[in-house]
Amino acid sequence: MVKILITGSLGQIGSELVTILAKRFGKSSILMTDVKEPAVKNSEDVEFSILDVTNADSVRSIVRENGITDIFHLASILSAAGEKNPQKAFAVNSTGTFNVIDAASSLGINRLIIPSTIGVFGPETPRDNVPDITITRPTTMYGITKVSAELLSSYYHDRFGLDVRGVRYPGIISYLTPPSAGTTDYAVDMFYHAVKHQEYTCYLSPETTLPMMYMPDALKSLLRLFDAPASSLKHRLEYNISSFSFNPQELYGEIKRHVLDFRVRYEPDFREEIAKNWPRTLDTSEAAKDWGFSPEYSFKETVSDMIVNVRKILDLA
Ligand SMILES: NC(=O)c1ccc[n+]([C@@H]2O[C@H](COP(=O)([O-])OP(=O)(O)OC[C@H]3O[C@@H](n4cnc5c(N)ncnc54)[C@H](O)[C@@H]3O)[C@@H](O)[C@H]2O)c1
């Protein structure tokens, strides 16, 4: 029987992943955990426990006591929050991820899924059509901890046979749970301001292009990777994925087709420094070849769908 542990399950990705996993495996097969209590009960009524991944004993106990077979490790401090508190980012992203990897390996977990990020890239990485294996010398604490998670995953796979898998997510656009403090959050913020007919002050420059993806494709991809035969995977966490790339000016232009009076002004801050060291476009061909990555939503479809759903969420439909 499958029993899946999700760490950091109350975040932008976890709060939506839990619904898909509960539908597929049944709610009694999922254990949601996070360092904080949920603000509202999850719609699937899945069991929830507090778990701080920086505590190695707690990680091991929860895996052992609940008969966990598979783990989605989503607990993380994202890029912008990591620059505000690098010590905490190291504790959660490095120590916490080590605790999860080590517990998964020694307790015989079937599959451990850990999302990585375009934050592993840095100023020396090429900016366009970036392949999976390239220069990964980031300058943020977030990036440093995520490169170390990639390397640790390869180490535990090669040394101990741990089946650990992941994708390098680009910026993820979604409407259900607000993004926490990443560098690509502006994209989601813009929709909320537009739908409320508020002017938006963008913290990136109008021409800063980044790879992005809509949440349904982000979740579908993670599940597809989860299902892939181990023998088809050539990388552990180093699979680049993205659906399209755009800059704030292009997103503004597309949203304005739906909200005619929308206005944006630009006041770049420290997040511009982070974003300008990340790639503009990614080569996703290895993910397509090895486990069938194929996103469905185009840029235009994502924008239309977001407008409809943000209006619904805000009761403005
Ligand atoms: N959202 C994106 O755009 C994006 C892009 C690239 C990669 N990723 C990766 O995807 C994964 C999930 O990201 P997300 O967007 O859902 O993040 P998020 O910040 O929305 O959620 C992370 C969750 O981790 C929890 N957490 C923090 N410290 C913890 C601790 N000590 N123990 C347990 N839980 C703790 C938080 O409470 C939060 O609910 C991360 O590994 C992130 O690096 C996300």
Side-chain angles (χ1 to χ4, degrees):
M1 198 189 122
V2 174
K3 181 85 189 197
I4 298 176
L5 169 72
I6 312 176
T7 72
S9 68
L10 301 178
Q12 187 188 8
I13 296 173
S15 57
E16 298 207 35
L17 178 68
V18 69
T19 309
I20 295 188
L21 291 178
K23 284 207 171 88
R24 174 158 164 197
F25 296 103
K27 68 176 182 179
S28 59
S29 298
I30 315 297
L31 177 59
M32 294 176 75
T33 64
D34 205 290
V35 73
K36 62 186 182 197
E37 290 282 354
V40 286
K41 208 169 162 53
N42 66 84
S43 58
E44 304 301 320
D45 196 23
V46 169
E47 186 187 352
F48 177 87
S49 291
I50 289 286
L51 174 64
D52 179 350
V53 295
T54 64
N55 185 326
D57 290 340
S58 305
V59 173
R60 293 179 76 82
S61 313
I62 214 158
V63 170
R64 214 187 285 112
E65 284 161 18
N66 291 280
I68 298 298
T69 59
D70 299 87
I71 303 176
F72 284 78
H73 172 48
L74 307 180
S76 187
I77 303 297
L78 267 56
S79 54
E83 288 316 285
K84 290 196 174 139
N85 192 342
Q87 294 78 7
K88 185 174 177 189
F90 186 86
V92 177
N93 300 354
S94 287
T95 308
T97 298
F98 172 76
N99 291 341
V100 173
I101 290 176
D102 195 57
S105 174
S106 57
L107 299 174
I109 289 303
N110 292 337
R111 270 163 301 186
L112 167 60
I113 308 294
I114 309 178
S116 191
T117 162
I118 55 169
V120 298
F121 301 121
E124 291 142 275
T125 310
R127 299 295 306 283
D128 289 302
N129 204 26
V130 174
D132 295 341
I133 304 304
T134 182
I135 300 167
T136 44
R137 288 175 47 79
T139 50
T140 60
M141 181 55 94
Y142 178 60
I144 291 165
T145 60
K146 296 300 263 186
V147 171
S148 101
E150 291 188 351
L151 295 171
L152 268 177
S153 296
S154 293
Y155 179 83
Y156 269 76
H157 172 264
D158 297 349
R159 175 94 196 261
F160 303 114
L162 178 67
D163 186 342
V164 47
R165 309 166 174 206
V167 292
R168 285 191 187 127
Y169 274 139
I172 295 176
I173 301 168
S174 71
Y175 53 86
L176 219 57
T177 304
S180 61
T183 299
T184 52
D185 298 2
Y186 87 86
V188 175
D189 293 345
M190 239 194 223
F191 285 99
Y192 276 84
H193 281 74
V195 164
K196 289 191 268 184
H197 299 280
Q198 291 170 345
E199 184 180 68
Y200 179 63
T201 304
C202 184
Y203 56 77
L204 295 187
S205 301
E207 271 138 31
T208 301
T209 298
L210 291 168
M212 297 276 187
M213 161 173 269
Y214 196 27
M215 183 63 90
D217 280 326
L219 297 176
K220 188 184 85 172
S221 306
L222 211 57
L223 266 289
R224 193 165 274 191
L225 177 64
F226 180 79
D227 288 334
S231 57
S232 67
L233 304 180
K234 129 162 101 290
H235 302 312
R236 305 325 313 163
L237 311 189
E238 296 88 357
Y239 282 109
N240 291 345
I241 61 170
S242 81
S243 301
F244 35 71
S245 293
F246 58 75
N247 62 36
Q249 199 164 33
E250 287 162 339
L251 179 60
Y252 165 67
E254 193 56 33
I255 293 177
K256 207 168 150 52
R257 287 170 11 93
H258 301 262
V259 183
L260 298 179
D261 64 354
F262 184 39
R263 280 180 301 130
V264 171
R265 59 196 182 91
Y266 296 92
E267 282 180 18
D269 67 14
F270 72 100
R271 289 167 280 191
E272 172 67 18
E273 292 306 305
I274 299 177
K276 76 178 187 202
N277 287 326
W278 287 356
R280 283 182 289 251
T281 57
L282 302 174
D283 175 357
T284 61
S285 59
E286 302 254 298
K289 192 165 57 165
D290 290 1
W291 49 271
F293 168 66
S294 69
E296 282 169 22
Y297 284 83
S298 67
F299 175 44
K300 279 181 190 303
E301 286 163 344
T302 299
V303 172
S304 307
D305 208 63
M306 277 292 288
I307 296 277
V308 169
N309 283 297
V310 172
R311 280 191 178 131
K312 269 194 209 147
I313 292 251
L314 297 175
D315 228 1
L316 298 170

